[in-house]
Amino acid sequence: MEIIIKASVAEAQDEAARIMAAQIRTKPASVLGLATGSTPIGVYQLLAEFHRAGRLDFSKVITFNLDEYVVLTPNHPQAYREFMRQHLFSKVNIAADRIHFPDGLAADVPAHCEDYEAAIRRVGGIDLQLLGIGSDGHIGFNEPSSSLASRTRIKTLTPRTVKDNARFFPHANEVPRHVITMGVGTIMDAHACLMLATGESKAEAVAGMVEGPITADLPASILQMHPRCKLVLDEPAAAKLRRAEYYRWIYENKPIWQRV
Ligand code: F6R
């Protein structure tokens, strides 16, 4: 895992956006796995700015979002489809038929989940998967105890995640209890992963993910097994890493050709 520690949230977002932009420039028809939540908002803003400045073309990009709430209508203000429309898709030149989400209204959820997996396979897999991390170590909405080999399926959120996400809803009771999420195995199949984590509320989960044992108790820890995973942090999110100085040393001494 490549660990990049930046001095501020803005610098961490900038680094993540530059990695994503480099992916799209290298392969214009990139398949991107996308995340929602508060962490990537700044990254999407930067990608939209690059596009507005004529420096980034999304016309061939294909996207698959990690997850969607079950039962929220697609245009519900808190539906992840609406989140993505607001923060990225309405601001760049991506065609609607290249955008994919799990369908929180699917009548046959298992069949829909299989279709989602098949759609990812049909386009050759995800080139770059953007990830955030939950304070309990979830990726996508693979909560602690999720199988590390899991595929796209329905999951029940933990009370802690419901509480974390309540800030987006008028009342905690309105946070859906279920989501459809790519599985841990689905995420691990991505050719490359990029996780952005910022703020002290993520420090413990980040330390467990990087320096703890690989365990379903902290699903993000499976990323230790991913051959191409970058983790971009700000200082507060990196605060509990035992080897933070070493990670900084590696980054500072990187050969120029290895940088984005
Ligand atoms: C969202 C997702 C989640 C979030 C995580 C962190 O699509 O997959 O795993 O990345 O819950 O959320 P924030 O960024 O709001 O702290």
Side-chain angles (χ1 to χ4, degrees):
M1 198 182 296
E2 183 183 8
I3 296 143
I4 303 170
I5 303 171
K6 291 286 174 181
S8 65
V9 179
E11 282 181 51
Q13 289 169 344
D14 187 67
E15 179 76 12
R18 287 188 319 119
I19 293 168
M20 292 192 72
Q23 168 68 43
I24 298 170
R25 289 187 190 116
T26 308
K27 182 179 173 190
S30 284
V31 181
L32 301 180
L34 298 178
T36 53
S38 42
T39 312
I41 292 177
V43 176
Y44 295 147
Q45 259 163 16
L46 287 168
L47 292 177
E49 275 170 34
F50 297 160
H51 171 70
R52 211 170 23 246
R55 288 163 49 209
L56 201 57
D57 176 18
F58 283 78
S59 63
K60 297 194 172 70
V61 167
I62 297 173
T63 66
F64 286 87
N65 262 77
L66 277 167
D67 35 33
E68 181 58 284
Y69 286 118
V70 169
V71 177
L72 291 187
T73 51
N75 57 355
H76 185 286
Q78 296 312 329
Y80 287 153
R81 186 182 276 278
E82 175 56 20
F83 172 101
M84 291 303 305
R85 190 198 63 74
Q86 204 182 316
H87 293 287
L88 184 66
F89 297 150
S90 63
K91 299 180 178 168
V92 298
N93 61 332
I94 185 164
D97 62 356
R98 292 177 169 264
I99 295 170
H100 303 83
F101 281 86
D103 180 2
L105 297 169
D108 183 342
V109 172
H112 170 66
C113 293
E114 274 182 36
D115 289 349
Y116 202 65
E117 293 270 339
I120 295 173
R121 278 196 303 274
R122 261 197 309 276
V123 294
I126 290 172
D127 291 304
L128 180 63
Q129 175 66 58
L130 179 63
L131 296 166
I133 185 169
S135 58
D136 61 2
H138 68 233
I139 46 174
F141 277 118
N142 297 284
E143 298 281 30
S145 83
S146 291
S147 160
L148 298 180
S150 51
R151 312 302 307 187
T152 303
R153 70 215 182 291
I154 191 165
K155 282 294 292 177
T156 307
L157 299 179
T158 61
R160 182 171 176 180
T161 302
V162 169
K163 193 163 157 258
D164 282 352
N165 289 2
R167 66 190 191 280
F168 300 114
F169 290 82
H171 193 274
N173 284 345
E174 292 177 39
V175 183
R177 285 347 186 213
H178 296 101
V179 289
I180 295 177
T181 179
M182 282 187 204
V184 180
T186 321
I187 293 169
M188 287 296 286
D189 282 350
H191 304 310
C193 289
L194 167 63
M195 179 184 281
L196 176 63
T198 56
E200 64 174 334
S201 65
K202 302 295 172 70
E204 202 171 321
V206 164
M209 166 177 102
V210 177
E211 295 173 341
I214 296 173
T215 166
D217 213 35
L218 203 155
S221 61
I222 192 66
L223 292 169
Q224 292 175 26
M225 297 290 291
H226 199 290
R228 290 187 65 214
C229 179
K230 287 181 195 278
L231 170 59
V232 181
L233 304 170
D234 67 350
E235 291 286 352
K240 294 196 172 161
L241 289 170
R242 276 183 288 116
R243 296 196 188 85
E245 279 317 309
Y246 176 54
Y247 308 140
R248 285 196 186 88
W249 166 262
I250 297 173
Y251 188 67
E252 281 157 19
N253 289 285
K254 244 178 191 301
I256 298 292
W257 60 265
Q258 257 192 346
R259 294 171 188 247
V260 177

